[in-house]
Amino acid sequence: VPYIVHNGKLVVIGEAAFELANVFGRETRRPMMGGLISPQEQDALPMMKMIISKLLGEPQVPGEHCYFCIPAPSLDVDNNIVYHQGLFETMVSNMGYTAHATNEAHAVVFSELADCDFTGIGLSFGGGMANAGIAYKSIPCLSFSVARGGDWIDKNVANVLGCPRSKAAAIKERGIDIRDPKSREEEAVAIYY
């Protein structure tokens, strides 16, 4: 089971956290919620620092460039990404990297549209948000997000099924054909998608 030790406590991370939460009928603690650092979780910053440092490791050369994605402001909720971006820039910089934030949908354009002169639409569907962006020859023209990602689906499925969110997430993530749901649970997931 992947874990880290924080303040003398063993903290299970990743998929195993969801599995254990389901076994014990509990909810998982989430350092990120709605696509941003969770304001309700007091250990969010130390957890994110540990996870990021474990993923990145030490820079190969001092000041090595590290690009990371940030969401666009949402159309449907009042969220301010400035604080979120600043926190991650500071975390990455303090690890010895030169931090660069880039819009999540624009990163998809860079990743997938080289053959089209980086012109097109980038879409990214995450746990907290769905991000969209349009770029012309690598220049971002429009970007936005909606705060209805996987967490929103989990919350609503859990509400209608009367189960914990972690169980709703497990139902969703076990693999469902949303065009042909096979049970009441799968139908709830398909409806919220």
Side-chain angles (χ1 to χ4, degrees):
V1 175
Y3 70 92
I4 54 178
V5 177
H6 176 64
N7 290 338
K9 294 182 181 177
L10 191 107
V11 179
V12 178
I13 58 174
E15 191 68 31
F18 282 105
E19 292 169 4
L20 286 173
N22 284 329
V23 167
F24 294 108
R26 309 242 343 242
E27 293 292 347
T28 55
R29 292 176 63 186
R30 306 282 301 276
M32 294 197 48
M33 201 61 144
L36 303 171
I37 290 286
S38 175
Q40 290 87 25
E41 188 61 56
Q42 84 178 48
D43 290 329
L45 286 177
M47 287 293 113
M48 291 308 299
K49 284 178 187 175
M50 282 190 237
I51 291 167
I52 290 169
S53 66
K54 195 168 191 140
L55 287 171
L56 286 180
E58 297 289 323
Q60 293 179 6
V61 295
E64 181 179 356
H65 295 275
C66 178
Y67 288 81
F68 63 93
C69 296
I70 57 166
S74 294
L75 297 175
D76 57 342
V77 297
D78 184 21
N79 60 0
N80 186 329
I81 62 161
V82 173
Y83 180 69
H84 179 81
Q85 177 178 337
L87 286 175
F88 279 91
E89 284 174 342
T90 301
M91 275 188 245
V92 173
S93 294
N94 287 344
M95 293 178 60
Y97 291 90
T98 301
H100 302 279
T102 189
N103 175 274
E104 197 169 316
H106 199 208
V108 173
V109 169
F110 281 130
S111 172
E112 301 297 325
L113 296 178
D115 294 344
C116 301
D117 292 327
F118 304 106
T119 298
I121 299 171
L123 300 171
S124 171
F125 300 91
M129 297 179 192
N131 280 270
I134 299 172
Y136 176 72
K137 297 198 182 286
S138 82
I139 300 167
C141 301
L142 172 72
S143 63
F144 63 90
S145 69
V146 291
R148 292 191 179 194
D151 293 339
W152 182 84
I153 294 168
D154 297 344
K155 178 183 85 169
N156 285 287
V157 169
N159 285 343
V160 298
L161 297 180
C163 67
R165 284 186 191 187
S166 55
K167 180 170 179 167
I171 292 166
K172 177 187 77 183
E173 293 175 8
R174 71 176 175 221
I176 295 173
D177 180 350
I178 60 173
R179 296 167 298 173
D180 186 24
K182 303 286 187 222
S183 66
R184 175 178 175 247
E185 291 84 4
E186 289 186 5
E187 186 172 11
V189 171
I191 287 168
Y192 284 105
Y193 262 103

